[in-house]
Amino acid sequence: MTSLDAGVIGTRIPEHSVEVERGRLAFFARATGQDDPIYTDRSAAEQAGHRDIPVPPTFLFCLDMERPNPSTFYADLGIDIRTILHGEQEFTYLQTAYAGDTLQFSTAVTDCYAKKAGALQFLVRTTEVTREGQAIATLRSTTVIRDPRA
């Protein structure tokens, strides 16, 4: 198992852009049990004061995973993806994103630390989401890397 140290802080993932597609928003809303029609019907969204179908909560994480080769980041750090677990996610929303928007994702490692004498390591990534240079959201994700020998 590769031991992470503070030297990984600041490591960046190549930036990427994603266009938010109306059909994918509707599919995600149904899959997550969102029954508010603003997430599936443009007319309902407009009647509620939105300019289009708004991005449902947590969907930005799905869009972030659309970067090319998302697991390459771990391999580049020497982390075996068979040892990773999802730790936690945190979302800070600054503006609403909508169907048809092109969003940019910029991610960096912002922290790493260990617990249980190094048997568990934690890697924290922070992603800034923007639309035409305007901040939309900040996503924070913690990945747990377990030592398979422990």
Side-chain angles (χ1 to χ4, degrees):
M1 175 173 160
T2 299
S3 180
L4 298 177
D5 63 39
V8 301
I9 296 173
T11 301
R12 300 196 67 76
I13 295 173
E15 293 183 18
H16 73 285
S17 296
V18 179
E19 183 176 344
V20 181
E21 299 172 4
R22 207 172 272 109
R24 291 205 45 225
L25 291 178
F27 178 81
F28 182 83
R30 285 190 299 274
T32 57
Q34 182 58 257
D35 59 4
D36 187 334
I38 69 166
Y39 294 111
T40 56
D41 182 293
R42 185 174 184 175
S43 296
E46 288 172 344
Q47 288 176 351
H50 297 283
R51 63 175 166 84
D52 208 315
I53 295 174
V55 170
T58 73
F59 188 70
L60 291 175
F61 181 74
C62 297
L63 293 175
D64 187 33
M65 293 301 292
E66 289 192 14
R67 61 185 135 73
N69 303 313
S71 63
T72 301
F73 168 72
Y74 296 110
D76 290 347
L77 292 177
I79 298 169
D80 181 343
I81 63 169
R82 296 174 296 178
T83 65
I84 65 172
L85 302 167
H86 177 72
E88 69 177 351
Q89 286 176 258
E90 177 182 309
F91 301 86
T92 303
Y93 299 99
L94 306 168
Q95 292 187 47
T96 303
Y98 293 98
D101 287 352
T102 298
L103 303 177
Q104 293 76 38
F105 293 78
S106 176
T107 303
V109 174
T110 51
D111 198 7
C112 69
Y113 54 94
K115 291 185 178 183
K116 298 196 177 209
L120 297 175
Q121 296 182 65
F122 297 79
L123 183 71
V124 181
R125 297 179 310 170
T126 301
T127 301
E128 301 297 332
V129 182
T130 59
R131 176 184 56 224
E132 298 177 358
Q134 295 291 318
I136 298 297
T138 301
L139 318 178
R140 186 175 162 272
S141 175
T142 302
T143 301
V144 181
I145 303 123
R146 60 179 177 75
D147 185 341
R149 301 168 297 180

